[in-house]
Amino acid sequence: MLREDIKAFINTIPKDVTIVAATKYVDSSDMLDLYNAGITNFGENRTDAFLDKYNQLFEYDITWHFIGHLQKNKAKDIINKIDYLHSLDSLELAKIIDKNRKTPLKVFIEVSVNLEENKNGVAYFKLNDFYQELLQYKNIEVVGLMMMAIKQDDDVHLEKQFNKLNELRCELENKFNKKLPYLSMGMSDDYKIALKCGATHIRLGRILWKN
Ligand SMILES: *Cc1c(COP(=O)(O)O)cnc(C)c1O
């Protein structure tokens, strides 16, 4: 269920920032409540859940994001239904998207700024090469970078992680002389800090709903 003060909450977020509602905890009727409160960008984590919700709500004026790890063998099922992919992190996946997508797909490259083991994302020191490879694919339009922060108690360490993603974004823009306008970072616990560091897309789950 939606938090009661959802409209007031939405009003605390700067107008030029996109709230992508993470929908993994809720069903399509909750999503409609959120839609009626003014949020029209939704992000799913799993392809089966995405298809379920998409099939129920595709007639609404919704922008569909996929924010979870996208398995290569499932990519085809959703690739022409989503508007944004936040988690591109492999060239194999890029190849599949390029081949199956009918129009250029807007993607964020998921970056590992902390180099944690067993986590998704392109290691930050491989980002230049990865980006360069992506330029050959006509059906992939890189619009920005995405990250998941490591939970940290103090704001300074979180800021360091978020600032790093923004620095990487600037480096790519300068090196390739191509605009890279977006930063997808910040979740319920850390979005305020992410906003300070330049987030253009915040992915919010728990904070939108009543516990
Ligand atoms: C669930 C999820 C979120 C939102 O998490 P909350 O902490 O509930 O705000 C953001 N991004 C991704 C990739 C997620 O899976």
Side-chain angles (χ1 to χ4, degrees):
M1 235 197 344
L2 268 185
R3 59 190 277 171
E4 262 144 33
D5 61 345
I6 185 70
K7 287 198 176 154
F9 174 78
I10 292 170
N11 280 330
T12 66
I13 307 296
K15 289 279 165 289
D16 55 350
V17 170
T18 302
I19 300 174
V20 179
T23 55
K24 63 173 174 278
Y25 315 104
V26 300
D27 61 20
S28 57
S29 76
D30 288 317
M31 287 166 69
L32 266 188
D33 290 345
L34 202 50
Y35 181 87
N36 290 326
I39 290 187
T40 57
N41 285 263
F42 292 110
E44 240 319 316
N45 288 69
R46 290 179 23 237
T47 51
D48 49 354
F50 169 82
L51 288 170
D52 230 31
K53 289 162 177 168
Y54 180 88
N55 287 334
Q56 292 179 61
L57 300 177
F58 69 92
E59 284 172 322
Y60 292 85
D61 189 14
I62 289 171
T63 304
W64 298 93
H65 302 249
F66 196 83
I67 61 176
H69 181 68
L70 180 55
Q71 288 175 273
K72 291 189 270 294
N73 61 343
K74 302 238 175 102
K76 265 192 220 166
D77 301 344
I78 67 157
I79 215 63
N80 282 297
K81 299 188 164 83
I82 60 175
D83 300 296
Y84 289 87
L85 174 66
H86 287 238
S87 52
L88 182 64
D89 68 352
S90 87
L91 291 174
E92 291 86 0
L93 180 59
K95 233 174 267 175
I96 292 168
I97 294 169
D98 188 57
K99 196 169 150 221
N100 291 283
R101 175 86 186 181
K102 298 195 175 82
T103 56
L105 176 64
K106 294 185 169 68
V107 307
F108 292 80
I109 301 172
E110 182 170 355
V111 182
S112 169
V113 301
N114 301 299
L115 305 179
E116 281 177 288
E117 275 182 49
N118 305 320
K119 280 281 165 73
N120 301 316
V122 178
Y124 68 83
F125 57 86
K126 294 182 180 160
L127 188 57
N128 263 334
D129 291 346
F130 186 76
Y131 183 70
Q132 181 143 38
E133 289 285 332
L134 290 182
L135 295 175
Q136 67 182 293
Y137 297 119
K138 65 178 191 320
N139 284 329
I140 288 184
E141 179 190 351
V142 182
V143 295
L145 304 179
M146 178 271 212
M147 68 175 279
M148 312 268 287
I150 297 183
K151 270 210 168 137
Q152 246 147 5
D153 290 333
D154 68 297
D155 294 1
V156 177
H157 284 101
L158 276 167
E159 263 177 49
K160 263 195 194 151
Q161 298 178 54
F162 291 139
N163 282 331
K164 177 140 185 184
L165 196 71
N166 202 4
E167 282 159 23
L168 291 165
R169 186 188 67 79
C170 290
E171 278 172 35
L172 283 183
E173 272 196 339
N174 292 334
K175 181 146 195 238
F176 293 92
N177 197 23
K178 256 171 119 61
K179 278 264 170 254
L180 214 54
Y182 296 151
L183 286 176
S184 170
M185 58 189 194
M187 318 201 314
S188 292
D189 289 335
D190 54 19
Y191 73 94
K192 284 185 187 159
I193 301 163
L195 287 175
K196 271 211 306 198
C197 300
T200 62
H201 292 65
I202 52 177
R203 306 180 312 272
L204 301 182
R206 286 164 300 143
I207 202 167
L208 302 173
W209 319 104
K210 230 188 258 177
N211 296 319

